[in-house]
Amino acid sequence: MATFKTMKICESFGPSARVLPTTLNFTQIAEFEGDALPVVPQIGRLKLNEVLRTRGRDHVVIIGASHFGNSAVFGKDELVSAIQGGCRAVVILGQVGQADAMKVARIPILAYGCTPRLLHKDEGIAYAGVLDCEAGLVTSSHYIVGDADGVVAVDKERFQAKFSVKTGGISP
C-alpha cells in the first residue's frame, strides 16, 4: 500500500519542501528517509568512496554530479562503499555506471541515468555538507524522504515538528 509520504510533505511544507530533480530508481526499493549528506565529488571517485564508507551511516547521500555530463561518478565500487558505510540511500544528481550492479542493491540507488563512461577510481576529491542544485541549497541540516513520487528535502527541525524521523539502522 502506497503511503504517498513525499506528497504529504509537500502539502505540509509548501515551497520550503525542496523537491529534488527527477531521477530513475535503479533498485526495487522505493521508499527511504534519513538525514542528508550532500557530497560534491571532483575529478574522480577516490574521496567519494571514503566519504561513503566513513560518513554515510544512517544518511541519505545526495551526490551532486551533473557537472560530469555523460561520465558516471557512481559504480559498483561506490555501491559497495555505500553499503559498507551504512548509507540508507544514494541519490546521484548525475549518471551511474555499471547499472546492472545496482539492480541487486540492498539500498535505493537513484540517478538521472546510466552511462558506460566511469570516472577514474584512483583520483579525486569530495566536498561534503552543502549542495547547490535545481532544488536550491541542500545541506546536512536537511532530512530527506523519497518514494515513488520523488525525493524531497526539508529542514530537519521543521520536519520533526510534524513527522517522526527514522533513527538507527538502514530504512526498509
Side-chain angles (χ1 to χ4, degrees), residues 2-152:
T3 60
F4 304 109
K5 191 162 187 178
T6 56
M7 292 180 81
K8 290 176 187 172
I9 291 168
C10 287
E11 183 179 291
S12 295
F13 295 104
S16 65
R18 299 177 189 273
V19 179
L20 274 66
T22 303
T23 53
L24 303 172
N25 190 340
F26 285 84
T27 66
Q28 299 300 312
I29 306 165
E31 296 184 6
F32 57 90
E33 62 183 88
D35 292 329
L37 177 59
V39 181
V40 181
Q42 298 290 330
I43 304 167
R45 303 170 7 226
L46 180 67
K47 290 296 181 182
L48 174 59
N49 278 293
E50 183 179 316
V51 169
L52 292 168
R53 282 190 309 275
T54 62
R55 297 188 55 195
R57 178 145 321 275
D58 294 331
H59 286 81
V60 175
V61 180
I62 310 293
I63 301 173
S66 59
H67 57 284
F68 291 124
N70 285 327
S71 294
V73 71
F74 194 94
K76 63 183 176 182
D77 291 338
E78 290 69 36
L79 175 61
V80 169
S81 294
I83 291 169
Q84 288 175 346
C87 300
R88 290 195 178 173
V90 180
V91 179
I92 302 104
L93 303 181
Q95 308 293 320
V96 295
Q98 303 165 322
D100 279 347
M102 308 303 147
K103 291 179 185 175
V104 296
R106 300 182 318 224
I107 60 173
I109 305 295
L110 290 80
Y112 289 166
C114 59
T115 179
R117 181 180 292 141
L118 195 59
L119 294 174
H120 293 284
K121 70 177 183 177
D122 56 353
E123 60 185 27
I125 56 176
Y127 303 99
V130 177
L131 171 63
D132 190 4
C133 66
E134 294 90 337
L137 283 180
V138 177
T139 70
S140 53
S141 69
H142 283 95
Y143 193 75
I144 307 294
V145 177
D147 62 20
D149 290 316
V151 180
V152 179

